[in-house]
């Protein structure tokens, strides 16, 4: 009888455990860190690109800035509209630089969130925030990730938290908006980037060739609803 009672008690405890849940298992936290820029190790998760890969003359760097007890990343460089003479690339535009995260090990699932937030200190330019997702918009034969972009204006000299609803990211292909009704799959995110162009951007933002500089503290996902 005692053996039966022991089995019954074990079964009862297992049932209670299965029925007991933590609210955090069902409701994700209201914010989730995606990247921080507090160390050189964190910067290794990113790589730089610019028009110089195609014959342009723009340049960029990504470094750590130590300030008291805090550190943050600095993405800076120079935008040039000029093209290297004799370049084998027949580029139609120049004047862009970017920093792109290396691909995640698998996917980042942001399905429970609705907004991307970036803590930035800038130079008055307009930057482009890009989210890369698994390729399902284009032909399966294409190797490029799907990209979704939104402008982010960064005021000069003061820290600023830019909040971009995921619904504001537009599908793009090689920098051009795709004129179709498409919806991002936030559960299959492969990476992100932050870039800057010499031309274009939001009205009132600084534009044109020349130096650029933006400090980055972190990038988060937020659940605001």
């Amino acid at each position: 009888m005692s053996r039966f009672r022991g089995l019954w008690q074990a079964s009862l405890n297992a049932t209670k455990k299965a029925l007991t849940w933590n609210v955090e298992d069902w409701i994700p936290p209201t914010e989730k860190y995606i990247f921080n820029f507090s160390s050189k190790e964190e910067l290794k998760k990113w790589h730089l690109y610019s028009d110089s890969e195609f014959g342009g003359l723009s340049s960029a760097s990504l470094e750590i800035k130590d300030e008291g007890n805090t550190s943050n990343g600095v993405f800076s460089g120079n935008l040039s509209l000029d093209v290297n003479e004799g370049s084998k690339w027949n580029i139609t535009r120049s004047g862009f630089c970017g920093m792109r995260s290396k691909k995640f090990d698998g996917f980042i699932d942001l399905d429970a969130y609705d907004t991307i937030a970036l803590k930035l200190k800038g130079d008055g330019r307009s930057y482009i925030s890009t989210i890369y997702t698994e390729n399902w918009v284009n032909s399966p034969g294409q190797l490029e990730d799907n990209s979704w972009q939104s402008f982010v204006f960064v005021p000069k000299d003061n820290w600023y938290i830019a909040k971009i609803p995921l619904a504001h990211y537009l599908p793009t292909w090689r920098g051009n908006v795709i004129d179709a009704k498409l919806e991002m799959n936030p559960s299959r995110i492969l990476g992100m980037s932050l870039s800057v162009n010499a031309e274009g951007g939001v009205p009132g933002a600084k534009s044109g060739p020349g130096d650029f500089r933006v400090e980055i503290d972190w990038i988060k996902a937020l659940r605001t609803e």
Side-chain angles (χ1 to χ4, degrees), residues 2 4 18-19 23 29 33 52 89 91 93 126-127 143 145 147 155 160 162 164 172 185 190 200 212 216:
S2 61
F4 172 79
L19 293 175
V23 67
Y33 270 99
S52 63
W89 300 97
I91 61 174
R93 63 177 181 174
S126 179
Y127 289 78
L143 298 178
D145 306 325
S147 58
Y160 171 72
I164 311 170
T172 63
N185 182 357
L190 296 167
F212 69 88
I216 315 168

Side-chain angles (χ1 to χ4, degrees), residues 108-109 111 131 133-134 136 148 183-189:
I108 290 289
D109 184 354
D111 197 40
I131 296 174
T133 59
E134 183 182 32
W136 62 274
W148 309 79
E183 189 173 335
M184 182 195 301
N185 182 357
S187 67
R188 308 286 282 184
I189 292 177

Side-chain angles (χ1 to χ4, degrees), residues 28-202:
T30 56
E31 63 180 42
K32 175 179 181 176
Y33 270 99
I34 305 173
F35 296 105
N36 68 68
F37 297 84
S38 58
S39 69
K40 292 182 179 179
E41 280 300 310
E42 291 295 323
L43 297 194
K44 291 180 181 178
K45 297 177 181 178
W46 297 79
H47 65 84
L48 297 168
Y49 63 90
S50 72
D51 56 45
S52 63
E53 300 172 28
F54 308 99
L57 297 177
S58 299
S59 60
S61 66
L62 179 60
E63 301 172 322
I64 282 289
K65 175 185 176 183
D66 294 318
E67 196 168 36
N69 296 325
T70 63
S71 299
N72 53 263
V74 180
F75 173 49
S76 63
N78 182 269
L79 297 169
S80 173
L81 301 179
D82 298 327
V83 178
N84 231 335
E85 290 186 17
S87 170
K88 65 177 182 178
W89 300 97
N90 184 25
I91 61 174
T92 57
R93 63 177 181 174
S94 183
F96 65 88
C97 293
M99 48 180 280
R100 177 171 177 170
S101 68
K102 297 175 182 177
K103 282 195 175 184
F104 300 130
D105 184 15
F107 302 96
I108 290 289
D109 184 354
L110 299 182
D111 197 40
Y113 302 90
D114 55 72
T115 300
I116 297 297
L118 307 90
K119 186 176 180 182
L120 308 164
K121 182 196 287 188
D123 51 8
R125 284 187 181 272
S126 179
Y127 289 78
I128 301 171
S129 172
T130 303
I131 296 174
Y132 300 96
T133 59
E134 183 182 32
N135 186 330
W136 62 274
V137 171
N138 301 323
S139 164
Q142 295 185 21
L143 298 178
E144 295 182 46
D145 306 325
N146 293 150
S147 58
W148 309 79
Q149 296 185 317
S150 177
F151 284 116
V152 51
F153 172 66
V154 186
K156 188 176 180 180
D157 296 335
N158 294 312
W159 283 107
Y160 171 72
I161 297 178
K163 297 179 180 179
I164 311 170
L166 289 177
H168 288 188
Y169 282 83
L170 299 177
T172 63
W173 187 70
R174 297 186 179 179
N176 298 308
V177 175
I178 298 174
D179 187 16
K181 290 185 178 180
L182 302 172
E183 189 173 335
M184 182 195 301
N185 182 357
S187 67
R188 308 286 282 184
I189 292 177
L190 296 167
M192 295 183 172
S193 73
L194 187 68
S195 58
V196 59
N197 291 343
E199 299 175 335
V202 300

